[in-house]
Amino acid sequence: QVQLVESGGGLVQAGDSLRLSCVASGRTFYPIGWFRQAPGKEREFVANIGWGGSSTDYADSVMGRFIISRDNTKNTVYLWMNSLKPEDTAIYSCAATDRTATRQADAYNYWGQGTQVTVSS
């Protein structure tokens, strides 16, 4: 089992940057995915990373702007968000799966509470 807590969201202007954090406790070697959900829209995949390796995957909409990384000494996965756009506005959640990391939200077993990102312009 793993417990996840997100932080780092806030209100920024278009073009700004934010770093989201996902701190894991318990078993910490699960693959981690970032997902987001905007008002009136379904949850969508953002990025994922394997705790046991450096493999990563990104949605086309964030490729080249967002970077997912991990710090094993802090049991933390980061989402570095650059060149933010108004369409990035959403609640961002991290999630852990006990299987191979995928882009499918229903494959993830454990979820954090989410952190709000709002991009104005």
Side-chain angles (χ1 to χ4, degrees), residues 53-90:
S54 60
S55 62
T56 60
D57 191 23
Y58 298 91
D60 291 343
S61 60
V62 306
M63 181 71 70
R65 297 190 298 121
F66 291 9
I67 298 175
I68 188 170
S69 65
R70 69 181 187 274
D71 185 340
N72 291 329
T73 67
K74 299 180 179 179
N75 297 323
T76 301
V77 172
Y78 300 103
L79 185 67
W80 307 80
M81 305 186 296
N82 303 300
S83 301
L84 283 164
K85 305 174 180 179
E87 52 262 43
D88 294 318
T89 296

Side-chain angles (χ1 to χ4, degrees), residues 12-15 35-39 41-42 44-46 59-62 65-66 81-92 116-121:
V12 298
Q13 296 181 345
F35 297 83
R36 66 187 183 187
Q37 186 168 23
K41 297 184 178 180
E42 296 182 354
E44 66 174 340
F45 166 78
V46 177
D60 291 343
S61 60
V62 306
R65 297 190 298 121
F66 291 9
M81 305 186 296
N82 303 300
S83 301
L84 283 164
K85 305 174 180 179
E87 52 262 43
D88 294 318
T89 296
I91 296 175
Y92 285 71
Q116 176 72 49
V117 173
T118 302
V119 184
S120 65
S121 181

